[in-house]
Amino acid sequence: SDFPQALGLLHLVTVSTLPAVLYPGRRFHLQVHCGSVDMGGGCSGGEAARIKLVDATALSAASVGSLGCGSAPETWHHLEPKNCVGSTRSCLLWPAVDENFLLEWQNLVVLPAVSKHTVLPFQLGVCFCNGGITGGCNEVTDWLYVGRIAFEPIRVLPDVVQTGLSTDLRLQILNSTWLSSTSRAAELKLVYDA
């Protein structure tokens, strides 16, 4: 006859962002969820936890495990705050919110993907280190792939603007449009693009 026994808890690690829809150049918070609140979470937390944003193309289906994240360099899209310096594993940014079930990195900013003067949608992989086996994130095997985050472009309409004529500009995002408004909260800055 069988004697079932509890061996422990399996904590699933997932990633989410605030806000849910991301745009290049706009600040966002990245959250790593480590199991449930009810079960006490599965992250050791503290300043030892690290993240690294990597190009999604650098993580093929075959390398999604620890070795892919541990050896993948931080993406050039990551602008602020400074994080990985020098090597693929010397990442310095620790979480601003530190709970056993939730870690949050705040005020991240990424650069857009641009081709032929057009901002493109793109995805980044999120790599996570929970402090590592030896108390740091220095080993390739300390890093885990926890998900992807997507960035949507903001487009200015109309596509062609004629000089010398008055034109109403609209900002288009995710199949919706921000129409011109009398609100002073929104600002638009035009710069010369060679």
Side-chain angles (χ1 to χ4, degrees):
S1 156
D2 292 333
F3 297 98
Q5 295 180 354
L7 298 176
L9 298 173
L10 175 63
H11 294 284
L12 299 179
V13 180
T14 60
V15 66
S16 66
T17 60
L18 295 171
V21 180
L22 303 177
Y23 302 99
R26 303 285 315 216
R27 295 191 182 282
F28 68 97
H29 300 340
L30 187 135
Q31 297 179 329
V32 173
H33 305 269
C34 303
S36 75
V37 178
D38 299 334
M39 300 305 262
C43 287
S44 53
E47 292 184 5
R50 298 286 188 267
I51 58 161
K52 174 173 52 170
L53 300 178
V54 300
D55 290 319
T57 55
L59 297 175
S60 67
S63 71
V64 164
S66 300
L67 297 179
C69 267
S71 60
E74 182 177 50
T75 181
W76 64 269
H77 289 282
H78 186 143
L79 179 64
E80 291 178 1
K82 295 294 182 206
N83 189 22
C84 302
V85 202
S87 80
T88 59
R89 294 180 297 279
S90 60
C91 301
L92 308 172
L93 189 60
W94 60 79
V97 174
D98 176 13
E99 302 287 340
N100 286 342
F101 57 90
L102 173 70
L103 302 171
E104 181 177 283
W105 286 262
Q106 298 179 345
N107 297 315
L108 301 174
V109 180
V110 300
L111 295 169
V114 180
S115 176
K116 298 180 184 176
H117 300 286
T118 302
V119 178
L120 304 173
F122 65 98
Q123 293 184 351
L124 295 177
V126 179
C127 296
F128 171 66
C129 175
N130 195 24
I133 296 169
T134 59
C137 296
N138 301 319
E139 301 298 324
V140 172
T141 54
D142 291 338
W143 290 90
L144 303 171
Y145 173 80
V146 293
R148 290 184 185 211
I149 54 177
F151 293 85
E152 298 295 331
I154 299 176
R155 292 193 172 95
V156 178
L157 298 176
D159 285 338
V160 178
V161 177
Q162 294 181 345
T163 57
L165 299 175
S166 176
T167 304
D168 289 333
L169 296 178
R170 296 184 317 272
L171 298 180
Q172 182 185 43
I173 57 169
L174 277 182
N175 300 322
S176 65
T177 304
W178 291 337
L179 298 174
S180 58
S181 168
T182 58
S183 168
R184 297 204 183 271
E187 295 181 10
L188 177 66
K189 180 179 181 180
L190 300 176
V191 294
Y192 178 75
D193 183 14

